[in-house]
Amino acid sequence: MGAMSSPPFGGSNEMPAVFPDWSPYQDLDSAARAYLRDPEVALDALFGVLRGASVLCFTLERFVNEVNGVWQEVVICDGSRLVLWHGEDVAPGDGPVGSMTSSLRVVPLSTVTEVGCRRRLTRTSNGQARVDSIDVYLLLSSIDDAVPPPGMDEGEGRTALRHDALRFGKTLDDGGPGQIARLEEFSRVVASLVGRPTL
């Protein structure tokens, strides 16, 4: 297998921990093809929902989970919605070898109640501030449907309800400066649209 070819989904679990950098690519198609293991699966699902809508911004994530294999995510904002695609290898024993799930979620921007962006800055030897990690969250008006922890009775569970949130992060080690900057750009575009009439 050549260095440029990628295994079919559910292929070798000996995927490198560091993936190609998608941040130089301004268009979704090129970024997905550079970074995702299964770009055709992702793009087919996403474009089926976008139906010609403009992609204002996007962010990508991919990592290897020791249990399930490769986990991939694309999040797009088209001005009125967030469209999220998530692909994940099926755990051994949960399906035929090489199986993966492909999930799509559409979240209206009107349900985003808060956008938070936390940057960690370090100082270089010449005193210049540099961003070395970024964490972004989008708080939604929907309720997190997670099951209350064991030992908590139903009455306590009601008080522990939390709003659903979407969380994204990049560091110098996981993504590098380009992806940190792109995730910050994504958070700024979404934040600029939240609370305004949708496009």
Side-chain angles (χ1 to χ4, degrees):
M1 183 179 296
M4 291 305 287
S5 66
S6 59
F9 58 76
S12 168
N13 278 340
E14 296 174 19
M15 301 289 291
V18 177
F19 305 109
D21 185 11
W22 60 266
S23 67
Y25 302 94
Q26 294 302 312
D27 67 291
L28 175 63
D29 189 88
S30 300
R33 291 184 190 285
Y35 186 69
L36 299 178
R37 186 193 61 193
D38 305 295
E40 290 82 10
V41 176
L43 293 169
D44 184 54
L46 291 163
F47 289 134
V49 170
L50 285 170
R51 304 244 177 219
S54 297
V55 175
L56 298 185
C57 59
F58 61 88
T59 186
L60 307 178
E61 185 57 82
R62 173 177 165 183
F63 61 84
V64 175
N65 175 325
E66 289 182 18
V67 177
N68 290 7
V70 176
W71 187 97
Q72 307 165 89
E73 181 179 59
V74 181
V75 184
I76 296 167
C77 178
D78 70 358
S80 61
R81 308 170 291 180
L82 296 169
V83 184
L84 299 91
W85 176 82
H86 166 228
E88 185 172 10
D89 289 345
V90 172
D94 284 354
V97 173
S99 298
M100 71 174 280
T101 60
S102 172
S103 307
L104 201 64
R105 179 180 182 188
V106 177
V107 177
L109 271 183
S110 59
T111 66
V112 177
T113 59
E114 188 176 308
V115 178
C117 178
R118 181 172 179 246
R119 303 182 309 158
R120 189 175 71 189
L121 304 168
T122 54
R123 298 251 177 231
T124 60
S125 56
N126 65 2
Q128 199 168 10
R130 181 180 76 166
V131 179
D132 72 0
S133 72
I134 184 170
D135 291 299
V136 172
Y137 73 89
L138 309 179
L139 192 63
L140 306 179
S141 58
S142 54
I143 300 297
D144 187 347
D145 58 4
V147 178
M152 183 179 280
D153 69 33
E154 214 172 287
E156 290 173 348
R158 280 196 198 94
T159 59
L161 289 178
R162 295 185 335 177
H163 284 276
D164 204 358
L166 305 173
R167 298 183 182 281
F168 313 99
K170 294 287 183 184
T171 66
L172 288 178
D173 293 333
D174 173 24
Q179 291 181 38
I180 289 173
R182 291 293 297 274
L183 179 54
E184 185 169 9
E185 174 195 349
F186 174 84
S187 74
R188 287 177 174 170
V189 171
V190 173
S192 74
L193 297 167
V194 167
R196 294 185 174 187
T198 55
L199 300 177

